[in-house]
Amino acid sequence: MAGFSPRKLSFSIIFLGLMTVLRSQAALDVHYYDRACPEAEKIIRYTILNASMHDAKVPARILRMFFHDCFIRGCDASVLLDSTPQNQAEKDGPPNISLRAFYVIDDAKTKLESACPKTVSCADIVAIAARDVVAMSGGPFWNVLKGRKDGRISKASETINLPAPTFNVSTLIQSFTKRGLGVKDLVALSGGHTLGFSHCSSFQARLHNFSSVHDIDPTMNPEFAETLKKKCPKPNKNGNAGQFLDSTASTFDNNYYKQLLAGKGVFGSDQALYGDYRTKWIVESFANDQSLFFKEFATSMVKLGNVGVMENGEVRLNCRVVNLGLEKKRENERE
């Protein structure tokens, strides 16, 4: 009988892990809809562009929606499902209550169902839309791998697993590692904050009674902190008050990283990236070279889009309802 070999076991684990990654990637294909729905990306692009012309906040909201979807059950459009009397869905979990622009995905889905019924998944719509809002905001363009299926499960309780704006670097690394993403992916994808706005509730703890020693987070630029304190007084009676996450918030650029170098990161989790040796050098690299940031961001977005790819899901006819639920809803309406 052959003896136990740790070396063989290690090789087997690596091999199985590699096969899992390959199967995940094999399920997706840049040309997935070339024959079944050749106009799919064009339809999504024009829908996103039209919505963005009417509401300048759409790009940031769509990009955030993609992150929040992929970080829970993988990129399966579970964040789009509405709550039911029997289940509170992800979109109603505390970190997602501020998510917006679901109507844009609904609009794209309606047009796609008219052009090529039962073909394009809601998960692929979100992935393509995220790429398009980055590109139309001045950021990089990449080929989106397609062929995702839509999930049937969405639980608000699972949103506790989303990275929080109060996380330190160690906690952030753990969160990203669980999704197969490395330290460089963490720093690159955090650059998505170059588009966006945050309400005071996500960062005001840094401005008032931060610790027993400091009233204000000492990693924050003092002048910047005073500016934020005026916008977010204590108590804050304006629920709409907040701050753009970088000074060029409608343009996808590397200004976010330059702000971190100046101590002007809005979230504690953002500023922490510049205060930790594991991430500081990457922040500096991206701040000094926008083309490098664009390249790494696109690479990391493709990796994030591969997280939790479903092979046994469905193509929802309505992004807000699983197909079985939609059928029951229509039956009730007929009755």
Side-chain angles (χ1 to χ4, degrees), residues 82-89 154-155 328:
D82 284 343
S83 292
T84 67
Q86 296 78 33
N87 177 67
Q88 188 178 35
S154 182
K155 296 183 180 295
K328 288 182 177 178

Side-chain angles (χ1 to χ4, degrees), residues 71 162-179 181-183 186 190 268-273 279:
F71 257 82
L162 285 167
T166 55
F167 276 9
N168 60 33
V169 171
S170 292
T171 314
L172 286 169
I173 289 174
Q174 289 173 9
S175 178
F176 276 67
T177 299
K178 287 178 182 177
R179 291 149 181 90
L181 301 167
V183 175
L186 159 62
S190 295
S269 58
D270 286 336
Q271 194 59 53
L273 296 175
T279 50

Side-chain angles (χ1 to χ4, degrees), residues 204-211 214-216 229 232-234:
Q204 62 187 6
R206 303 182 70 202
L207 306 172
H208 308 280
N209 302 316
F210 178 71
S211 70
H214 301 282
D215 183 48
I216 297 171
K229 286 184 86 168
C232 306
K234 187 179 181 181

Side-chain angles (χ1 to χ4, degrees), residues 4 14 29 35 103 109 113 132 148-149 157 179 196 202 225 254 262 274 293 295 301 311 315 317 321-322 328:
F4 172 76
I14 293 171
D29 184 355
R35 292 186 178 182
Y103 73 93
K109 180 61 174 174
E113 283 301 306
D132 288 346
R148 297 166 187 81
K149 293 296 186 288
S157 59
R179 291 149 181 90
S202 293
N254 69 336
Y274 187 56
F293 163 50
K295 174 178 174 291
M301 284 291 279
E311 296 184 32
V315 174
L317 305 181
V321 187
V322 296
K328 288 182 177 178

